[in-house]
Amino acid sequence: MKLNLKIWRQKNKHSKGKFEIYQVDANEHMSFLEMLDVLNEQLVAEKKEPVAFEHDCREGICGTCGMVINGRPHGLLQGTTTCQLHMRFFKDGDTIVIEPYKAKAFPVVKDLVVDRSSLDKIIQAGGFVSINTGQAQDANNIPIEKEISSKAFDAAACIGCGACVAACPNGAAMLFTSAKISHLGLLPQGAVETDRRVMRMVIQMDKEGFGSCSNIGACEVECPKEIKLTNIARMNRYYYKSAFASDN
Amino acid sequence: MELKGNVPQGDLKEKWIEYRSKMNLVAPNNKRNIEIIVVGTGLAGASAASTLAELGYQVKAFTYHDSPRRAHSIAAQGGINAAKNYANDGDSIWRLFYDTIKGGDYRSREANVYRLAEVSNNIIDQATAQGVPFARDYGGLLDNRSFGGVQVSRTFYARGQTGQQLLLGAYSSLSRQVAKGQVQMFTRQEMLDLVLVDGKARGIITRDLLTGELKRHAAHAVVLATGGYGNTYFLSTNAMFSNATAAWRAAKRGAFFANPCYVQIHPTCIPQSGDYQSKLTLMSESLRNDGRVWVPRHKEDAQAIREGNKTPQDIAEADRYYYLEERYPAFGNLVPRDVASRAAKVACDQGLGVNQTGKAVYLDFESAIYRYGKSKAHMEGYENPDKATIIKFGEEVVSEKYGNLFEMYEKITGDNPYKTPMKIYPAVHYTMGGLWVDYNLQSNIPGLFVAGEANFSDHGANRLGASALMQGLADGYFVLPYTIGTFLAGEIRTPKFETSLPEFARTERETKERIEKLMNIGGNQTVDSFHKRLGKVMWENVGVARNAGGLEKAIKEIKEIRKDFYEDLYIPGSADGINPELEKATKVADFLELGELMAYDALNRNESCGGHFREEYQTEEGEALRDDKNFAYVAAWEWDDGGNHIMHKEPLKFEFVELKTRSYK
Amino acid sequence: MKWIITFFKSSLGRKLIMALTGLFLIVFLMIHLTGNSLLLLNDEGEAFTGFVEFMEENPLIKITAYLLYLGFIIHILQGIVIYFTNRNAKGGTYAVKTTANASFFSKYMFWFGVMIFIFLTLHLINFWLGLKVTGEFGNEELYGKVVTAFHNPVYLVVYELGMIALFMHLRHGFHSAFQTLGWNHKKWTPLIKCLGNLYSIIVPLGFFIIPLYIYFFK
């Protein structure tokens, strides 16, 4: 299949970028990133600079890859990362527009690569259980309802790819932040410090320059791990409780 | 020179406890002044960095990713072993130890493996306390499943994303220490060399992947937790950037590289579908709990399937060859990975393979769906359910267990595994070999510690499923933080190192020259083209089965590829800034040397054991033939540019287990 | 008291204010519609005027009225602040616009708000200013004013457009307020959404019909 690619090229953080058009010959068994590999091999053979994009595991779990394909983070397929999107969902002769994530808290570093370290800072603000190695009791001492554990898991499945932020018309990181807060808050081990955690993480999130939630739900639609808006509601509850009912 | 493992004396069961109680410690006030570099933030690195920081050391952690959470530990699917015996099926520390030693084909150190089994339970406790959402039953307690090579259920799991959840646990602990200022986190920094001062590891040189700048970092000790070298084969289940550079650079500075030929080829991966393919995807071993592996019994059927004239459903039950169940009745589909991979290769070599390339076998869930469906239908109160109802219920149960794996399979291949069997084929997955370390996880370079897959320590010649997560976390949480004290206790009077020392300047200069050399070749071929060539040679000659002729050929060919590489490589762009081609080139340059050493080691090891199967050494039934008399040792290699690599032997002494022929029949 | 400021300056705090004031205004709309529906009676405005007088004289309602003004002002100002903060947080728009991941109502919430604001200004100038501030006319004259106003086709069209905007705004706003409050539940959220849809149709539709009725039948 022959494809026209319209790809955002930007030399570095400070320079202005622009779209470039490329032609590439792909086949339907390739993954989207393998199609870009083919393009890059082609560019290198022509002694041109390849398109910089991030990727690593190519199994949909590391969260490194992420680009906006035809206006949608990770492309058209529900619950799928860019690396797991395959070319059989495109047609011969298609034009595909590829852009980097856009959000103030994710500055473009080069071409399709953005800096997502702001997400790490949110986790550092409180996305953990304060326990040192060696302090744990026997794992079976705290029974946890299967349903609750499963809900916590659904939230913990977040891969930190940032698609929620990229999809959000407000540039908000609510889905990301609430997923971690929900994961830990639902489990008895983590619930102990929910008040402190939610306060610190929300404040950090605001500090990093993310927007706020207007319940549009684009994040939920684009999340490759299908994390739900329920988590945001839960974060809100925790936050109000922390602000009004706790001592800290 | 004979290497000493520094294993403490005493009874196997007491060794670690006794040693830990008597080892030298570093007092808290001194820990504050001691710096440790940890390279890599996977399970081993993140857990080590956070635990060392909790103890009070000043830690500098490095990753080439944009975030520590991206390390490839995240992709581990199936689970993590522990000897909890929650399943009440007779498990114990001894049994886990024994299974691991036996699974590794008696090529690992007894004391290390016992220690691993001992701390395995603490890992589960620790991870649970961190909020890792392990699978639970309705009673609220933890659930287990089985993995290959064992007869108990001791694998804890978090759906098909156990590695992810464990890594996020370690990452959260690390993040906590970063917030406290105990860990200084360096992201997008790739280690390109190790700095020795007076023969001790005291620092590293990194390249900032955004600016291309080389940077010097100093510390009292260096911990490498940089993973394995499976990507030497180009195609593997490793992440695209998983590489051996950090470990290999240490080897070039004098660290010994042990057992490089021990490579695990995982039996259940999605088969290769084309030349453009960038990586292979693993389908968790847990699938073999319920999936049955088969190929058509007759060549004609296999050929008809390959040509698209028949579907798997057309093959009658009697014409299906369930080769694992037939050949290994005791373990059936759950034989260890090396055995299953070899059997798949044998079947395909006989012309029974089932996809266009002839390199695939079926993993079939039909009978599991039927079995579970019947049981669920019964539970739901159906007296005589029809077939459709049974299948509907069966698919529900299977989806609950493996849903995400099935989805992933369908995304990649476009086939629905509920309706048609999965196609699988072995692929390079894990490397048991690695930098040589003693009982303290210290390499032969004082102050250089190695943890996780990067070291050679615990898996012998073959690793059992769900043991990599266990070892990475054991090293990082419960072993290294103690044993590193044995070295650092002698360093409390050593002031912090300045990076202005001539050793740092020299190493940085050498790194710079290496990069310039690559940038200036100015040839015509891409990095990937060399990597693919290397991968092909490795897979064909140093793969599932090896022989002397092939290995000699491989060594010759790798040397040729290396020569071509340095003559005709082309890297676009410049070295100061993001340059993915340059990043790949530094890695491939190292793979091109390590690959040779792997073949060299395989050629030296005139026996078959675990993942290392030499065709010359097999029983009449085609099983591995070990030679304990001549090869019960660790081969720790010192690299020689001239090709005469020097071997240092560490004899393996088995005081507590009896060496037996491994049998899964 | 620093914590209060911190709370209300935070993204979630601001959202809470939007949700609470929004819900308050939703309640107000219902009362307003009740009053307006009296215009449909064929009694020459007797019931309507009675209602207006009751609302004007009851001290409790007078206090509530001030709260209402405050509610409007906060909702509007906060909405503007949030809009600009969010626009700033979004690093630009994509070359390909997609409609696949967000509903029309939720995406343009702010602009429907702006439309309502424009309508509201006009609406206040027409009725509220004369009645409450300048004293141009009294309670008993309001009915006549309303009937006259709705016979002006330009005003009628503006009013009806305002009601359409109100529908759009409520369509997302109603259930969104509950989500912001943290009320998201597998069992109850579908019910809230259903109520929200009903409310956002029925109330604006009520407001929509009355002027048309007056225009054509009075």
Side-chain angles (χ1 to χ4, degrees), chain A residues 56 59 88 120 138 183 189, chain B residues 65 86 128 131 171 279 411:
Chain A
D56 197 23
E59 295 179 22
R88 59 176 172 275
D120 279 329
D138 187 275
H183 159 216
Q189 304 93 304
Chain B
H65 288 107
Y86 284 164
T128 304
Y171 160 73
K279 76 155 272 155
K411 264 178 206 165

Side-chain angles (χ1 to χ4, degrees), chain B residues 117-263:
Chain B
E118 241 178 313
V119 300
S120 66
N121 291 342
N122 303 41
I123 298 170
I124 301 302
D125 299 341
Q126 185 64 30
T128 304
Q130 285 168 348
V132 171
F134 284 123
R136 286 170 189 272
D137 209 337
Y138 286 103
L141 302 181
L142 296 174
D143 195 17
N144 292 109
R145 61 183 171 200
S146 324
F147 257 59
V150 300
Q151 288 166 315
V152 291
S153 279
R154 64 159 72 99
T155 305
F156 293 80
Y157 64 101
R159 296 187 193 156
Q161 288 141 267
T162 318
Q164 180 201 21
Q165 293 308 317
L166 288 169
L167 182 65
L168 292 181
Y171 160 73
S172 68
S173 291
L174 179 65
S175 298
R176 175 168 164 247
Q177 295 304 319
V178 173
K180 282 185 172 177
Q182 280 296 114
V183 173
Q184 217 185 329
M185 190 65 231
F186 296 87
T187 56
R188 298 193 199 260
Q189 298 284 328
E190 178 161 39
M191 170 180 164
L192 288 182
D193 217 333
L194 177 72
V195 181
L196 304 185
V197 179
D198 299 329
K200 292 181 184 169
R202 299 297 195 187
I204 59 172
I205 303 293
T206 62
R207 178 169 179 271
D208 184 317
L209 298 181
L210 293 183
T211 63
E213 208 182 325
L214 293 180
K215 290 180 177 160
R216 309 170 187 179
H217 305 274
H220 289 82
V222 176
V223 178
L224 297 187
T226 52
Y229 48 90
N231 267 348
T232 314
Y233 293 79
F234 184 70
L235 281 179
S236 79
T237 65
N238 286 8
M240 299 300 288
F241 293 116
S242 297
N243 69 87
T245 289
W248 190 246
R249 286 293 124 198
K252 298 276 283 207
R253 295 277 167 205
F256 299 155
F257 208 101
N259 301 334
C261 78
Y262 291 164
V263 174

Side-chain angles (χ1 to χ4, degrees), chain B residues 77-88:
Chain B
Q77 299 170 351
I80 176 165
N81 287 331
K84 284 280 194 188
N85 193 29
Y86 284 164
N88 191 32

